[in-house]
Amino acid sequence: MDSSTTRRDATRRRLFEAAVTLIAEQGFSSTTVDEIAERAGVAKGTVYYNFASKNVLFEELLRHGIELLATSLQAASDEVADRGGRRIDALDAMIRAGLDFISRYPALTRLYVAEMWRTNRAWQSTLMVVRKRAISVVEEVLREAVADGELSDEIDIPLTASALFGMVLVAALDWQSYQPDRSIDEVHAALSRLLQGRVSGRDA
């Protein structure tokens, strides 16, 4: 990778970080390109050089963030598979990976959750695509678990995957907003017990 590409990637990362923080703080409509540029420490023209508009920046922000999350979930699942672990253990590892991700990117998570319930946005189709990307990683592990007999074939895979994904998002945001004194290990342990009891049908 040449130096110009490296610089551009670094600039785009700064713009992503500035945009997600500002939009999470004050909303999309209230956030201006000038503010994003100022927070990122770049000229306003740099924003438009990298992104055609604020809408495009936001859509790319969603894609970039959820791709990072999906990659983290997949890596957690693969690590368990590589050591011969069960699919239910892979799901548990994915919960931990999700909590780790949300802990690192709380503003992005708040933004994603807020936008997920709005249906009048220009980027609604993009939001559906990135949501599917993350949940599909969970669905694949559930399918493998059913195929191998680890889980009942009565499980509704799409709804169960969505429920697990949503459980981690909501629990993590509640943890950070209302129970910040709890450790990530405590939160993971609580969600792990839910997973073991409700999905696998046994106590942890």
Side-chain angles (χ1 to χ4, degrees):
M1 184 179 294
D2 60 38
S3 59
S4 62
T5 301
T6 301
R7 284 196 302 273
R8 187 179 185 206
D9 287 346
T11 298
R12 288 170 71 91
R13 279 196 301 273
R14 289 203 304 274
L15 289 170
F16 279 139
E17 290 167 3
V20 72
T21 302
L22 285 166
I23 294 170
E25 288 173 355
Q26 58 194 35
F28 178 81
S29 299
S30 299
T31 300
T32 67
V33 172
D34 285 335
E35 288 174 318
I36 293 172
E38 182 180 359
R39 180 70 66 94
V42 301
K44 181 178 180 179
T46 301
V47 180
Y48 289 115
Y49 175 76
N50 285 274
F51 305 99
S53 66
K54 189 173 72 168
N55 275 13
V56 171
L57 169 58
F58 187 69
E59 289 194 49
E60 287 298 314
L61 174 66
L62 290 172
R63 291 181 185 276
H64 175 70
I66 298 302
E67 185 59 36
L68 288 176
L69 173 58
T71 299
S72 296
L73 297 178
Q74 188 66 63
S77 175
D78 291 345
E79 183 179 351
V80 172
D82 288 345
R83 63 171 187 263
R86 301 171 307 153
R87 301 304 194 288
I88 198 72
D89 297 322
L91 290 170
D92 187 57
M94 292 165 81
I95 287 176
R96 179 57 186 244
L99 291 173
D100 286 336
F101 178 88
I102 293 166
S103 181
R104 288 198 306 272
Y105 304 103
L108 175 64
T109 307
R110 287 194 299 272
L111 186 58
Y112 172 79
V113 170
E115 292 298 323
M116 186 167 57
W117 303 111
R118 294 178 174 140
T119 58
N120 61 341
R121 300 296 206 186
W123 51 79
Q124 184 66 24
S125 60
T126 297
L127 196 60
M128 296 299 291
V129 169
V130 297
R131 174 189 172 277
K132 184 176 180 180
R133 168 72 178 103
I135 292 178
S136 66
V137 179
V138 184
E139 287 183 349
E140 181 60 26
V141 176
L142 287 170
R143 286 193 187 92
E144 292 171 353
V146 170
D148 288 351
E150 285 188 37
L151 298 178
S152 169
D153 59 8
E154 295 180 355
I155 284 180
D156 186 314
I157 290 175
L159 280 178
T160 301
S162 296
L164 290 172
F165 185 69
M167 176 183 74
V168 174
L169 284 179
V170 174
L173 290 178
D174 184 87
W175 158 46
Q176 294 189 337
S177 299
Y178 303 110
Q179 305 180 63
D181 54 314
R182 289 183 177 273
S183 70
I184 192 170
D185 290 333
E186 287 181 284
V187 179
H188 176 221
L191 297 185
S192 181
R193 283 190 288 272
L194 283 174
L195 170 71
Q196 298 287 352
R198 298 304 180 186
V199 175
S200 71
R202 66 176 182 82
D203 294 330

